[in-house]
Amino acid sequence: EPEVTQTPSHQVTQMGQEVILRCVPISNHLYFYWYRQILGQKVEFLVSFYNNEISEKSEIFDDQFSVERPDGSNFTLKIRSTKLEDSAMYFCASTLVRVLGNQPQHFGDGTRLSIL
Amino acid sequence: AQRVTQPEKLLSVFKGAPVELKCNYSYSGSPELFWYVQYSRQRLQLLLRHISRESIKGFTADLNKGETSFHLKKPFAQEEDSAMYYCALSGRDQGGKLIFGQGTELSVKP
């Protein structure tokens, strides 16, 4: 069964540095998402992406964040200048159609981001 | 406000006992409700969605619009059911994003 893959599994970065988290969604999927989960807290929506543009973003997704689908297969999340509070597990998800009635979102294993 | 509430952080039962993981939601439109499960060191996986009304691994969940609830139930818990369970909501006007509850850790003891 096809899977969403995320790399790296763990990223350690100094505060203020840029970080790029990578995701390869399932190949025929059209909608892509990033979520994050701070330790001990709920999974939170960050951004959704369709047709090469952001379709929705949350309050968390400020100017420090950006997403890109540079080559038709990868889907990246960039944090320009990391802060301590960016430490979290970041999940990528993809789905074939936006209306979820028949198509669930498929999640990757996540990238654990640790900011020092 | 759009919100999903799972009141229990941890639910501990013995093998063979019935299980009910509670989920309440707040949403102004017509929501779609889901249960996701995360087994130890594995990814989030879809367990159930309300529109399919199916039973997966013995689990069922019924959407109660009057009580705005979507509780997950299983009559006889198994040790392999031990995992984190997340209730999630999506609405047709939300671009497909999922709003998650805090999660409930289910621990099934032998």
Side-chain angles (χ1 to χ4, degrees):
Chain A
E1 185 177 329
E3 290 183 341
V4 175
T5 56
Q6 289 186 243
T7 55
S9 57
H10 191 191
Q11 174 80 47
V12 181
T13 302
Q14 291 288 334
M15 185 172 60
Q17 296 294 307
E18 174 183 286
V19 66
I20 297 176
L21 309 182
R22 302 180 193 280
C23 170
V24 179
I26 294 173
S27 62
N28 64 334
H29 284 188
L30 301 175
Y31 295 85
F32 314 112
Y33 306 84
W34 282 103
Y35 295 85
R36 80 170 185 190
Q37 185 177 31
I38 295 171
L39 188 64
Q41 299 185 25
K42 65 174 69 177
V43 177
E44 301 172 289
F45 167 77
L46 291 179
V47 66
S48 57
F49 192 85
Y50 170 70
N51 200 24
N52 278 322
E53 60 183 26
I54 291 173
S55 49
E56 188 175 1
K57 59 184 180 180
S58 71
E59 294 173 351
I60 303 167
F61 195 88
D62 61 22
D63 292 343
Q64 294 298 314
F65 290 87
S66 62
V67 288
E68 198 176 36
R69 191 157 159 79
D71 56 13
S73 63
N74 289 284
F75 177 51
T76 61
L77 174 68
K78 182 193 291 187
I79 308 175
R80 189 161 58 226
S81 178
T82 50
K83 303 187 282 284
L84 293 175
E85 53 265 37
D86 293 328
S87 295
M89 183 73 96
Y90 288 80
F91 293 104
C92 175
S94 70
T95 187
L96 183 58
V97 294
R98 189 189 80 178
V99 174
L100 297 181
N102 294 310
Q103 296 290 337
Q105 287 188 19
H106 293 259
F107 283 80
D109 282 332
T111 293
R112 180 166 298 285
L113 177 62
S114 299
I115 307 300
L116 304 179
Chain B
Q2 303 155 357
R3 189 169 56 245
V4 176
T5 304
Q6 294 179 249
E8 303 135 332
K9 287 191 76 171
L10 173 66
L11 187 61
S12 185
V13 301
F14 286 101
K15 176 183 171 182
V19 166
E20 182 178 52
L21 287 81
K22 291 184 167 44
C23 172
N24 288 90
Y25 66 90
S26 172
Y27 185 72
S28 56
S30 293
E32 298 193 49
L33 274 296
F34 307 85
W35 277 99
Y36 277 82
V37 60
Q38 188 175 34
Y39 299 103
S40 178
R41 301 183 188 281
Q42 295 187 27
R43 64 188 62 201
L44 282 162
Q45 304 171 40
L46 178 69
L47 181 63
L48 283 177
R49 48 200 161 186
H50 88 268
I51 63 158
S52 58
R53 302 187 63 82
E54 55 195 345
S55 174
I56 303 292
K57 300 184 180 183
F59 285 97
T60 58
D62 289 318
L63 180 62
N64 185 324
K65 292 186 178 180
E67 295 182 359
T68 59
S69 67
F70 188 56
H71 302 327
L72 183 68
K73 300 177 184 178
K74 184 169 182 175
F76 308 105
Q78 303 299 315
E79 289 180 69
E80 55 265 30
D81 296 328
S82 296
M84 280 295 293
Y85 290 81
Y86 295 95
C87 184
L89 170 157
S90 181
R92 291 177 183 271
D93 59 349
Q94 288 188 310
K97 76 179 182 190
L98 291 168
I99 297 172
F100 285 87
Q102 293 274 41
T104 297
E105 181 182 354
L106 175 63
S107 174
V108 182
K109 299 177 179 175

